[in-house]
Amino acid sequence: MKHSHTKNLVITAFCLALCVVLPMAFHAIGAGQAFLPMHIPVLLCGFLCGWQYGAVCGLLGPLLSSLLTGMPPIFPIAPAMMLELCAYGLLTGLFYHRLGGNLYLSLIGAMLGGRVVSGIANAVLMGIAGKPYGLSMFLSAAFVTALPGILIQLVAIPLLVAALQKAGLAEKPKRHRAA
C-alpha cells in the first residue's frame, strides 16, 4: 500500500485496540468464540496496511488481549492464536497485493492458511500442555464452531474494505503483470 509508515502505524494501533475491545464486547453477550471478533481487525489490517503490519497486528493482538483482559488464556491458547492471527494478517496482505486486489480470493486464502497454522500450533502447544488435540477437534473448532465468524468475515471484511476504498481511506493494489 502507498500509505505512509506513520499512517500504517496508526491504523495498526487502531486494529490492535480493536483486538482487545471487540472480544470483550462479544464475550459480554456470550458470542466471543463463535464470532471470532479478534480476526476482523487483523484481517482488515492486512488488507489496509500490507502483510508486515497485518502480521504484527496478528502477533500482538492476542498477546495484548491476554495480558490486559485474561482472554485468551496465556497458555496454551494465546500463543496458538498469536501464530494463527499472524498468519491471517500476513497472508491477507500478501495475497491481496499479489492477486491485484482480489478481496475474496485473498480473504479465503488467508482464512484457510491461518487455519492450517492454527491446527499445527494447537497440536504442538496442546501436546506440550498435556491436553488432547486431534483432527476432529481441529475441524470442529476451525470450521464448525467458527462458522458464524467465518460467515461474518466473508460478508463484513469485503464490505468494509470496499467502503474504505470508496471513501478514499484505502487503496486497491494494482494487478501484477506476468513477466
Side-chain angles (χ1 to χ4, degrees), residues 13-140:
F14 179 72
C15 289
L16 280 168
L18 288 175
C19 283
V20 176
V21 174
L22 284 179
M24 289 182 354
F26 276 79
H27 282 282
I29 60 169
Q33 190 173 0
F35 289 102
L36 311 172
M38 201 178 295
H39 294 60
I40 294 167
V42 171
L43 291 164
L44 277 175
C45 188
F47 276 123
L48 300 177
C49 301
W51 68 268
Q52 304 95 325
Y53 297 93
V56 169
C57 183
L59 194 64
L60 295 180
L63 178 62
L64 288 174
S65 183
S66 182
L67 294 173
L68 295 172
T69 70
M71 299 179 304
I74 197 72
F75 188 82
I77 306 299
M81 281 187 69
M82 290 169 66
L83 294 171
E84 173 189 12
L85 294 177
C86 179
Y88 288 140
L90 184 149
L91 292 172
T92 301
L94 187 67
F95 290 158
Y96 192 53
H97 178 73
R98 295 282 184 200
L99 298 173
N102 187 320
L103 274 165
Y104 283 102
L105 196 53
S106 301
L107 181 59
I108 291 168
M111 290 168 73
L112 291 172
R115 279 170 173 71
V116 168
V117 170
S118 172
I120 294 167
N122 275 303
V124 170
L125 293 165
M126 293 294 192
I128 291 170
K131 298 181 182 227
Y133 189 82
L135 183 60
S136 64
M137 289 180 75
F138 163 71
L139 293 173
S140 177

